Each structure stands twice: as structure tokens, then as C-alpha cells.
Amino acid sequence: MSDFLSADAASNSGSSPSTNNDPQTADISAMAGENTNPEPRRELGEAPLRVVETAFLASTASLIWLVNYYFPLGPLLRVFFPIPIALVYLRWGHRAAWMTALVSGLLLSVLMGPTRSILYVIPFGIMGVALGGLWRRKASWSLSISVGALIGTVGFFFRFWLLSALVGQDLWVYVTAQVTEIVEWVFVKLGWLSVPSLNTIGAIAAGMILVNNIVYLFVVHLVALLLLDRLGNPIPRPPRWVQLLIDYEE
């Protein structure tokens, strides 16, 4: 009888509530640990910031274009046209950058009309997205300047085509006339008696537009290098000769 009571007491002590609830407590603790994961909360906190920054930089890009259109300050504001959209790409990726370009176009369409808004989106909106993508992928300056210059050249010809369609005249004729005068003056200075053909004039004009866009993109890179570094979103480092030229220290 005493042996039976001893065995019963041992079994009762082994099946105490604290022992039986240990696996359940561990499961509850594990579930609580899953619920306290900070990653979803961080994503939820980043979503409003992404929307606010996208809207702010889209309005900034639109304001720069608007001020430069009505109060042109030469090339001072032009170098900032693609930078806000490129900054959005560096911070939030391609989807936010395309959204910024689209919102900028819509704002300018309301403020200035569809025609002027299209002239911003093509090429500067697309250029900002392209530059942001190349800078985020650490592309070299030669590649990003070349791609940006090609986009700017295509945008220049698109602008001439659109304005020519709106006014009903071929505005390219005026460009070729100006280039012809410059080429003839150079030929006279060099002592050449030949007269350049129309195709040669067109090729020279296209080359001058491309060179102008290359110089423009180089200046945009310099401004982005100095500005975005201070904003905590640096672009790829320039070539060594550029660092020596502007006395830039990393």
C-alpha cells in the first residue's frame, strides 16, 4: 500500500501544471517573437516617406522648369532639370522615379499646358530616370554621360518635330540656315572654296547638338556630384582627371 501511494505521489508530481504548460508556453513565446519582427513595421513606416518624397521632388522638378520658362536664368537652372528624378531613383528605385516623372508632367500640364509638360518629360524626365538607374548601378561617367547625351539629342529633335507640327512650319530649316552660315565662314577662313552639301550641313548640325548635350551632361554630373554627396546619396566617383580639375576630395 505504501509503495502504491509513493508511486501515485511521484506521478502527480511529474504531471504538475508547470511541466505540462512548458510546450504551450514555448509556442506562445515563439508566436509572440514572430509578431515582434520589426521588418513589416519598417516597411509600413517607409511607405508614407516614399510617397512624401516622391511628391515633394516631383513638385521641385516642376517648379524649376516653371521658373526657368518664365524667368530664364541661362544654364543656371537647366542643370537641375533631371536631378530631382534621379535622386528619387537613388533613394526609392525605378517605380518611384517613373512616378515622379509622371507626376511632374501632370503638374506642368495643369500649370502650363500639355505641350510644355511634354517638353519637360521628353527628354528631362526620361533623362532623370536613366541617370538615376545608371548612378545606382555604379556606372562610369563615360557611360552615363553618353546615354544622357543620346536622350537629350533625341529630345531636341522631338522638340523640333512637335513645335514644327504645331506652327505648321519646318523649324529645322532655320537651324540648317544658321549652321550653313557658320560652316561657310569657317570654310572661308580656312581657304576652302568648296560648298558643303545639304547632307553635310545636317550631319554637322546633328554633331553640334550631340556635343552640346555631352557638355550639358558633364555639367549635370558635376552638380550632382557636389549636391547628392551632401544629401547622403552619392553618385559614382568621377575620373581622376576630373577630381584634379575641380580639386574634389572624397
Side-chain angles (χ1 to χ4, degrees), residues 32-223:
E34 293 177 357
N35 292 334
T36 56
N37 188 7
E39 293 299 329
R41 295 182 180 178
R42 188 186 309 172
E43 293 179 359
L44 292 176
E46 287 180 352
L49 182 60
R50 183 188 299 113
V51 173
V52 171
E53 287 191 5
T54 300
F56 175 76
L57 290 172
S59 60
T60 301
S62 303
L63 182 62
I64 294 173
W65 175 265
L66 181 69
V67 172
N68 184 79
Y69 185 84
Y70 290 107
F71 306 99
L73 300 176
L76 181 61
L77 292 179
R78 285 179 56 85
V79 296
F80 294 98
F81 287 167
I83 290 180
I85 298 176
L87 177 59
V88 173
Y89 200 117
L90 290 174
R91 291 183 60 81
W92 301 111
H94 66 93
R95 182 177 180 182
W98 282 114
M99 186 62 65
T100 304
L102 178 61
V103 172
S104 299
L106 293 176
L107 287 174
L108 291 173
S109 179
V110 173
L111 296 174
M112 305 176 66
T115 302
R116 296 183 180 92
S117 67
I118 293 174
L119 294 180
Y120 172 76
V121 176
I122 305 174
F124 298 108
I126 300 175
M127 186 185 297
V129 175
L131 290 178
L134 291 170
W135 289 343
R136 190 168 184 175
R137 291 169 176 81
K138 306 300 181 182
S140 63
W141 276 39
S142 58
L143 177 60
S144 56
I145 289 176
S146 300
V147 173
L150 289 176
I151 295 174
T153 303
V154 173
F156 182 88
F157 285 105
F158 173 79
R159 183 186 301 115
F160 262 82
W161 171 80
L162 180 61
L163 295 178
S164 298
L166 292 176
V167 301
Q169 296 181 0
D170 188 6
L171 299 179
W172 182 248
V173 175
Y174 298 97
V175 176
T176 55
Q178 296 295 325
V179 175
T180 301
E181 293 181 1
I182 296 174
V183 172
E184 289 179 351
W185 179 82
V186 172
F187 277 25
V188 170
K189 291 297 181 181
L190 295 177
W192 297 347
L193 300 179
S194 61
V195 178
S197 63
L198 186 60
N199 293 332
T200 303
I201 295 297
I204 294 174
M208 292 174 63
I209 294 169
L210 180 61
V211 171
N212 180 70
N213 279 280
I214 290 175
V215 175
Y216 169 74
L217 264 298
F218 179 74
V219 177
V220 169
H221 277 66
L222 291 179
V223 173

